[in-house]
Amino acid sequence: MEGKLRLLGMTLDELKALVADFGLPGYSAKQIADWLYKKKVRSIDEMTNISKAKRDLLSEKYEVGCYSPSNKAESADGTKKYLFHVADGQYIESVYIPAKERATLCVSSQVGCKMNCLFCMTGKQGFSANLSANEILNQIQSIPESDSLTNIVFMGMGEPLDNTDEVFKVLDILTSSYGYEWSPKRITVSTIGVFKGLERFLQESQCHLAISIHSPFPEERLSLMPVEKAFPIKDVINLLKRYDFSHQRRVSFEYIIFDQLNDTKRHAEALADLLKDIPCRVNLIKFHAIPNVSLSSSSLESMESFRDWLNEKGIICTIRVSRGEDIFAACGMLSTIEAEKKQDGFDEN
C-alpha cells in the first residue's frame, strides 16, 4: 500500500495547501473535495473541471486512494465483515450491520489495540499501528453499501481516542459541508476513556459518545480492563459531568455482561448510583466466547433482570442484539491474526 500520496482522507485545509503547492486557484480545493467526498471518484482523471495538465501533474505524486476490501465474509443474519489490506502488509476488519431502518458500519481506527481488555480478541492481537485518515475513511467509502449507510460507529479494532489526530480528521470530513455533510447524530465514537483524547472529543465534537465500562467497581473493572489503572472510571465519570448531554449529543455506556461476575443486583445498583447525574443509556452486550478466556456470558434471563433493575433506578437500559457471531464479527471478536497468515474464513469478492 505504498507509493503515491493519497487524497482521500485530506481535510479541506489540507487540500488548500496542496492546490497552492501545485499553482492551482484556491477554489480548486473545494472542487477536489467535491470529487472525493460527494461524487466519490476513484481516479484523478475523473476530476474533469481541473485542467488535464494539472490532473497529470497531480497524478505524478498523488492518487485518490480509494481501494476495495481484500475479502469479505457474510453472516447468516446479513451482517458482513470486510477485510482491508493496509500499510506494511497488515490487515484490519470492519463490519456492516443492516437492519430495518438502519445500515450501520463499524469501523476500525487501529491495527490491533493497546488496551488488552480480557474479553477482546483485538486486544489479544496486540497493537501494531494507528490507521491513517485515508485507511479509516476508505472503510466507509469503498464498500458496496457505502451510499446506503445511515450510521457510523467507531467500535471496530483499536481505541479511537488513542488515535485522535486521524480520527478527528475523519469526523471533520464526515460532518463538514465540503465532505459528507452528515449530522453528528449519525456517528458514535466508542472509548475506554483515554483521558486526553476524551477531553478533546468533548470540547471539539458533537458526535455521540460510548464509554466501555463493564463494571461499576474499580478493582473488578481493572481485572477486565487494565486501563482502569491509568484511566479510572470514576475520573471519566467526573469529566463527563462537566458537559451537557441533555440535547443533541448523547452518551451511552457499553456493558458486556458476564455470568456470575458483573450481572448481580448489587452491580446494577452501584452502576445506577455511579451514572445517576448523567443523562445516558446503558447498552447490555452479550459476551462472545473467545479462545483461552474462561469468562462466560450471562443468560438472557439474567440480562433482562439487570436491565429491569437499571430501568427501575431511572437509568435507560437496553439489551443489544448480537449480530455476526458466526463470522467472528460480533462485539469483541475482531482480529486479523489469521487473516494476515492465510485470510482464513473469508470468501473472495
Side-chain angles (χ1 to χ4, degrees):
M1 308 307 293
E2 297 178 358
K4 295 180 180 179
L5 299 174
R6 291 174 174 173
L7 298 175
L8 185 71
M10 284 189 168
T11 64
L12 185 60
D13 286 343
E14 290 174 322
L15 290 172
K16 287 177 179 177
L18 181 151
V19 300
D21 287 343
F22 279 86
L24 288 164
Y27 61 79
S28 298
K30 180 63 165 58
Q31 290 176 322
I32 293 174
D34 284 345
W35 288 112
L36 292 173
Y37 305 127
K38 299 189 187 303
K39 300 182 177 71
K40 299 183 179 180
V41 299
R42 292 215 172 193
S43 167
I44 290 173
D45 262 349
E46 296 177 69
M47 300 179 183
T48 52
N49 57 359
I50 298 172
S51 73
K52 179 69 163 61
K54 292 296 186 183
R55 295 201 308 264
D56 289 345
L57 195 60
L58 273 174
S59 296
E60 290 177 7
K61 189 175 180 181
Y62 289 90
E63 62 183 355
V64 167
C66 184
Y67 53 95
S68 298
S70 299
N71 275 312
K72 73 176 180 182
E74 186 164 357
S75 167
D77 65 25
T79 300
K80 297 178 184 178
K81 182 170 68 170
Y82 288 102
L83 180 74
F84 291 91
H85 183 200
V86 293
D88 300 323
Q90 300 181 106
Y91 292 88
I92 56 164
E93 295 176 331
S94 56
V95 180
Y96 170 71
I97 308 165
K100 287 183 179 179
E101 297 180 356
R102 294 163 68 97
T104 301
L105 186 68
C106 178
V107 300
S108 294
S109 55
Q110 295 179 319
V111 181
C113 186
K114 299 176 185 177
M115 304 308 158
N116 197 28
C117 295
L118 177 62
F119 46 82
C120 180
M121 283 186 68
T122 307
K124 305 301 179 192
Q125 179 176 331
F127 172 78
S128 297
N130 284 325
L131 295 182
S132 67
N134 169 266
E135 291 164 334
I136 298 171
L137 197 61
N138 183 68
Q139 296 169 66
I140 300 167
Q141 189 147 312
S142 70
I143 63 170
E145 300 85 3
S146 178
D147 289 338
S148 64
L149 293 175
T150 62
N151 296 83
I152 301 292
V153 293
F154 285 77
M155 296 182 182
M157 298 175 67
E159 164 56 56
L161 298 186
D162 189 46
N163 185 18
T164 50
D165 288 344
E166 299 303 303
V167 167
F168 272 67
K169 284 169 63 175
V170 174
L171 295 180
D172 183 44
I173 292 164
L174 288 172
T175 58
S176 292
S177 60
Y178 74 83
Y180 282 63
E181 292 190 274
W182 276 30
S183 165
K185 293 189 292 184
R186 297 172 63 182
I187 303 164
T188 300
V189 175
S190 178
T191 178
I192 54 81
V194 177
F195 212 77
K196 187 175 180 180
L198 180 56
E199 279 189 303
R200 181 179 171 189
F201 177 85
L202 291 168
Q203 291 166 7
E204 297 182 20
S205 177
Q206 288 300 310
C207 295
H208 294 324
L209 175 68
I211 303 286
S212 296
I213 187 167
H214 312 312
S215 176
F217 301 117
E219 288 187 7
E220 189 173 274
R221 187 172 188 258
L222 180 62
S223 72
L224 295 168
M225 305 172 68
V227 295
E228 168 67 20
K229 185 174 183 179
F231 309 113
I233 191 59
K234 289 184 178 179
D235 290 349
V236 172
I237 296 297
N238 287 335
L239 174 62
L240 295 177
K241 288 178 180 178
R242 290 161 38 192
Y243 293 85
D244 184 8
F245 294 98
S246 61
H247 299 292
Q248 173 175 295
R249 179 167 59 181
R250 293 199 312 262
V251 61
S252 59
F253 291 86
E254 310 292 284
Y255 195 97
I256 297 178
I257 191 160
F258 304 99
D259 184 42
Q260 298 182 357
L261 176 63
N262 65 349
D263 62 350
T264 70
K265 186 174 184 180
R266 181 175 71 95
H267 286 84
E269 289 176 341
L271 184 61
D273 187 61
L274 184 65
L275 305 181
K276 63 183 177 183
D277 295 324
I278 303 174
C280 66
R281 175 187 299 270
V282 173
N283 294 315
L284 297 184
I285 302 169
K286 174 187 174 184
F287 170 64
H288 302 97
I290 63 175
N292 304 314
V293 173
S294 59
L295 297 168
S296 58
S297 183
S298 293
S299 66
L300 179 59
E301 181 181 9
S302 293
M303 293 177 75
E304 289 174 340
S305 294
F306 197 94
R307 176 199 63 195
D308 294 343
W309 288 329
L310 282 179
N311 285 333
E312 288 169 8
K313 291 288 186 177
I315 303 292
I316 298 171
C317 181
T318 58
I319 298 172
R320 180 178 293 168
V321 176
S322 180
R323 299 288 299 272
E325 185 174 3
D326 57 329
I327 56 168
F328 281 78
C331 182
M333 301 186 80
L334 297 185
S335 173
T336 55
I337 292 176
E338 292 304 311
E340 290 174 21
K341 296 175 183 176
K342 300 178 181 179
Q343 296 187 14
D344 285 349
F346 286 86
D347 299 319
E348 292 295 334
N349 277 343

